Amino acid sequence: MDNFTLLATMFIVAGVNAVFTFASSKNAGETVSTEWRRSSILLLIAFSLILTQSSWPKFISIIIANYLLLLGFYFQIYTALCFEFKKMAESKPYLKIITIVYALSFLYFTYIDFHTTYRIIIISSLLALCYGYAVVKTRKNWKESKNLLRTKEVFYLFGVACLFYIGRTVVTIIEFGQVNSLFDKNTMTTVAFLFLIFFNLVFLMGMFNATIREKNVLINREKEKLNHLFDFLSDTAKHLKLEDLYPSIEKVLRKSFKVNTAAIFLKDEGENSHSMNYVFNDLDLPLDEVKHFNKGEGLSGKAMEENRVITIDIDTYPNRHVADAYKSMGVTNLVGIPLKTAEGVMGAITVVYSTDLKKQNVFNSELFYYLGEQIALVLQNALLYKKLTQLAETDSMTGLLNRRKMQEMFDLELKKAKRSNQSLTVAIIDLDNFKNVNDNYGHDCGDRVIKNAARVFQKECRETDYISRWGEEFLCLYASSDMSAGLLVTERVRKAFEKQSYPCLDKANVTISAGMAEYHEGMTMDQLIAQADKALYEAKRKGRNRIEQAVIENT
């Protein structure tokens, strides 16, 4: 077979390569697809010029044709590296160096000292260096990351190509015979053409296999995410309390979406604002400025308003102070996920990434949105459960514990006090002359006074204190507190009532009287409350707006 026939075959192979490249590269990602198609077009044009070189001047048939050939192989290497590393490889500096070396040598050995053999040595040496670099870079990354090679066949092909072009360079130098034309009968030239046919066919098959392999990896990754999502749904089906749900949500975000920092926002009452209800913050980001937003504000507000998954680069975050602080701590992207239910959007999740989403291949808008819907569903159930629980356990007017729930908590704390020898103090509090308020100003004004009283109790008492509506009075249970500690809290409440004024009472105030009793060994709940009730009666007898302590009798 003569060299012209081999060149014609090479041209046909290049055409087939271009057709299949355009058909299969679309699944390899935008960057890889672009570079892969570019290399196939460059090689097709290069081989067409070489095949018809007798019809072109030297500048086109030698300089341009070989440069396009060199570029075609260069971008094949670039394609494989981009596919393997999932990011743009550094190409411009190397390409400039190769172009300069090529241009100077080929121009010299074409127009000053015409010598085909030297041109073969130069282009073979450049290709050997390029393939050698690709092999070394890929192998180094392979050993460091310990991941399977995506472009396994291409990696080995580059190794063979590097050895071949080193061999061709050495043989050409040793034999050093003048080659006037590629169509001359020359064993090494013929072998080179055969190798090019073999190389391009194997490269095409290798990249095709790499594309299929990558697609399988993505399918398995999506399957893993769906498995995590299924586990999440199975797990959350068992929980109705928000405090149990939030860790499950965190778990699926961490395992399936490589998230290490995220916040869950829910609408506030009135739906004109939303607040952060749960956060996990491995990046230790400052959160003071992003805990509460008005309607439509922040990434969470935008995701809620537009009901879609929104991803932004940290450089485009509108609050520059927050953006600069987050960027300095490694944040690259933010993702807003709406929490959509059948009744509307109830909140959003803001996810923080410190890795490039596209390069790390973790962003999936559709799956994020679906996850948001599932999370919203379980959160809605939990909120409904919480609301029903509150209705069952709290007084409808004040929101304080009702009598039944207070008795339950009283029994619990009394057992703790008996078991651990802890202190326990109660206070029964009554609004002074409250009957006169209802009689003289109406029950509507009386209701306002009671509701305001509940707000005062909630503000002035501690988080560990229990407060309930106890008939016409209020009962405060100070767990793990002796008389002196309980007295401090009750006195703080009494002083707060002195400062309250009510428009419906012509800006007059309503004071309180309180009776307090401390638990002693052997006492029952009824006995303790009875002692506090006696102290309350004494406080009223002595003029009201005061606190009296019970004198505990031995039981």
Side-chain angles (χ1 to χ4, degrees):
M1 184 180 290
D2 59 31
N3 288 348
F4 180 83
T5 304
L6 288 174
L7 270 173
T9 304
M10 189 66 250
F11 173 73
I12 294 171
V13 170
V16 172
N17 179 52
V19 171
F20 277 93
T21 293
F22 274 78
S24 59
S25 64
K26 61 183 179 181
N27 297 320
E30 184 178 351
T31 301
V32 174
S33 177
T34 300
E35 303 305 326
W36 192 0
R37 292 176 179 182
R38 178 187 295 174
S39 68
S40 68
I41 293 298
L42 287 171
L43 289 174
L44 182 62
I45 296 172
F47 284 118
S48 68
L49 291 177
I50 293 173
L51 184 63
T52 59
Q53 63 180 260
S54 58
S55 303
W56 304 101
K58 290 180 180 179
F59 184 75
I60 296 176
S61 64
I62 297 177
I63 307 296
I64 298 298
N66 281 281
Y67 185 60
L68 292 178
L69 191 68
L70 183 63
L71 285 181
F73 291 132
Y74 179 85
F75 283 111
Q76 279 187 340
I77 296 171
Y78 188 48
T79 297
L81 292 179
C82 285
F83 195 97
E84 190 63 47
F85 298 118
K86 293 300 175 187
K87 61 183 178 180
M88 293 292 287
E90 297 179 3
S91 63
K92 291 183 178 180
Y94 300 119
L95 187 56
K96 286 180 181 178
I97 294 171
I98 291 171
T99 300
I100 291 171
V101 172
Y102 171 84
L104 291 176
S105 57
F106 263 63
L107 286 171
Y108 181 85
F109 291 114
T110 301
Y111 291 104
I112 298 175
D113 182 13
F114 188 91
H115 213 297
T116 304
T117 305
Y118 280 124
R119 292 200 299 270
I120 291 173
I121 292 172
I122 290 164
I123 200 166
S124 296
S125 300
L126 288 174
L127 287 173
L129 287 172
C130 289
Y131 289 124
Y133 169 79
V135 170
V136 171
K137 186 175 180 66
T138 306
R139 190 171 188 278
K140 181 180 178 182
N141 181 71
W142 185 18
K143 291 181 69 177
E144 290 177 353
S145 64
K146 296 182 180 179
N147 293 324
L148 294 175
L149 277 172
R150 296 180 177 90
T151 54
K152 182 170 59 176
E153 296 88 351
V154 177
F155 169 77
Y156 293 125
L157 179 64
F158 286 170
V160 173
C162 177
L163 295 175
F164 174 80
Y165 284 109
I166 289 174
R168 189 184 184 194
T169 302
V170 172
V171 170
T172 304
I173 291 173
I174 293 173
E175 293 185 353
F176 200 77
Q178 177 65 33
V179 181
N180 294 317
S181 170
L182 294 177
F183 299 112
D184 291 347
K185 288 185 177 181
N186 180 280
T187 303
M188 199 62 205
T189 304
T190 301
V191 172
F193 287 156
L194 289 171
F195 178 77
L196 286 176
I197 295 171
F198 162 80
F199 180 91
N200 280 278
L201 289 173
V202 174
F203 179 82
L204 180 62
M205 289 187 292
M207 287 301 296
F208 184 70
N209 287 339
T211 303
I212 294 175
R213 196 176 292 122
E214 180 66 9
K215 192 172 183 179
N216 289 334
V217 169
L218 293 176
I219 290 173
N220 289 331
R221 189 175 296 161
E222 294 304 312
K223 182 180 177 182
E224 183 181 355
K225 288 179 181 178
L226 290 173
N227 286 337
H228 289 318
L229 186 58
F230 177 77
D231 291 341
F232 163 71
L233 293 174
S234 299
D235 185 41
T236 54
K238 300 178 290 185
H239 303 304
L240 284 173
K241 294 183 178 180
L242 284 172
E243 56 267 29
D244 297 326
L245 281 178
Y246 286 137
S248 295
I249 296 171
E250 176 183 342
K251 181 180 177 182
V252 73
L253 288 172
R254 284 185 182 277
K255 290 183 67 176
S256 300
F257 300 97
K258 313 305 179 189
V259 174
N260 55 27
T261 297
I264 299 175
F265 291 86
L266 296 178
K267 282 184 177 180
D268 301 321
E269 290 291 333
E271 299 191 353
N272 289 319
S273 62
H274 57 282
S275 302
M276 186 184 296
N277 280 252
Y278 182 80
V279 62
F280 56 97
N281 186 12
D282 290 3
L283 294 175
D284 198 25
L285 302 177
L287 302 174
D288 290 341
E289 294 185 51
V290 294
K291 287 184 175 180
H292 182 83
F293 293 104
N294 291 324
K295 186 176 181 180
E297 289 182 347
L299 182 62
S300 52
K302 189 175 180 181
M304 291 164 63
E305 198 166 54
E306 299 182 14
N307 187 25
R308 66 184 181 92
V309 175
I310 299 174
T311 177
I312 64 170
D313 188 279
I314 189 61
D315 290 326
T316 63
Y317 191 77
N319 187 326
R320 292 314 310 160
H321 179 261
V322 171
D324 292 340
Y326 284 14
K327 188 175 181 180
S328 67
M329 302 178 80
V331 174
T332 57
N333 299 92
L334 300 174
V335 178
I337 307 169
L339 299 176
K340 174 80 162 47
T341 67
E343 288 75 29
V345 180
M346 63 179 294
I349 298 177
T350 297
V351 172
V352 180
Y353 279 108
S354 55
T355 55
D356 192 303
L357 295 185
K358 292 182 179 179
K359 292 178 181 178
Q360 295 299 322
N361 203 18
V362 295
F363 182 70
N364 185 317
S365 180
E366 292 182 0
L367 189 57
F368 266 134
Y369 188 84
Y370 178 71
L371 175 65
E373 287 184 319
Q374 301 310 309
I375 290 175
L377 179 62
V378 295
L379 283 176
Q380 185 182 43
N381 290 337
L383 289 171
L384 180 59
Y385 175 78
K386 181 180 180 181
K387 187 175 181 179
L388 292 173
T389 302
Q390 287 177 338
L391 288 174
E393 296 178 349
T394 59
D395 173 66
S396 59
M397 179 183 292
T398 62
L400 301 177
L401 297 179
N402 58 25
R403 192 182 188 101
R404 184 190 64 79
K405 185 62 178 178
M406 188 59 156
Q407 287 176 323
E408 180 183 325
M409 301 314 298
F410 213 123
D411 288 339
L412 180 66
E413 293 299 332
L414 201 59
K415 289 177 181 178
K416 286 183 182 178
K418 291 177 179 179
R419 183 173 61 251
S420 306
N421 197 27
Q422 294 179 348
S423 300
L424 183 70
T425 305
V426 298
I428 295 183
I429 300 171
D430 188 35
L431 301 178
D432 294 331
N433 299 312
F434 183 69
K435 185 176 184 300
N436 293 336
V437 173
N438 282 327
D439 292 344
N440 298 328
Y441 297 95
H443 287 279
D444 183 58
C445 182
D447 289 347
R448 294 181 193 177
V449 172
I450 290 175
K451 289 177 181 178
N452 185 70
R455 287 192 288 270
V456 173
F457 284 123
Q458 290 169 334
K459 180 181 178 182
E460 301 299 334
C461 291
R462 303 164 300 184
E463 290 185 1
T464 55
D465 300 332
Y466 301 98
I467 315 154
S468 76
R469 188 92 182 272
W470 197 258
E472 296 298 321
E473 300 161 340
F474 297 91
L475 177 63
C476 293
L477 173 61
Y478 304 128
S480 303
S481 299
D482 59 14
M483 179 63 78
S484 60
L487 187 60
L488 287 174
V489 178
T490 310
E491 179 62 19
R492 188 164 63 239
V493 171
R494 189 194 66 79
K495 289 181 178 179
F497 269 93
E498 282 186 327
K499 298 175 183 178
Q500 300 293 310
S501 62
Y502 304 89
C504 66
L505 295 177
D506 298 326
K507 296 187 177 180
N509 67 353
V510 175
T511 60
I512 62 168
S513 297
M516 298 187 63
E518 183 178 359
Y519 169 76
H520 287 74
E521 186 177 356
M523 292 182 70
T524 65
M525 182 183 75
D526 290 339
Q527 290 171 332
L528 189 57
I529 292 176
Q531 291 291 339
D533 202 41
K534 286 182 182 179
L536 172 62
Y537 177 80
E538 187 67 16
K540 288 181 175 291
R541 191 183 67 79
K542 290 183 178 180
R544 296 183 172 83
N545 191 21
R546 60 186 294 120
I547 303 169
E548 288 293 326
Q549 302 176 42
V551 178
I552 305 297
E553 301 174 358
N554 293 329
T555 58

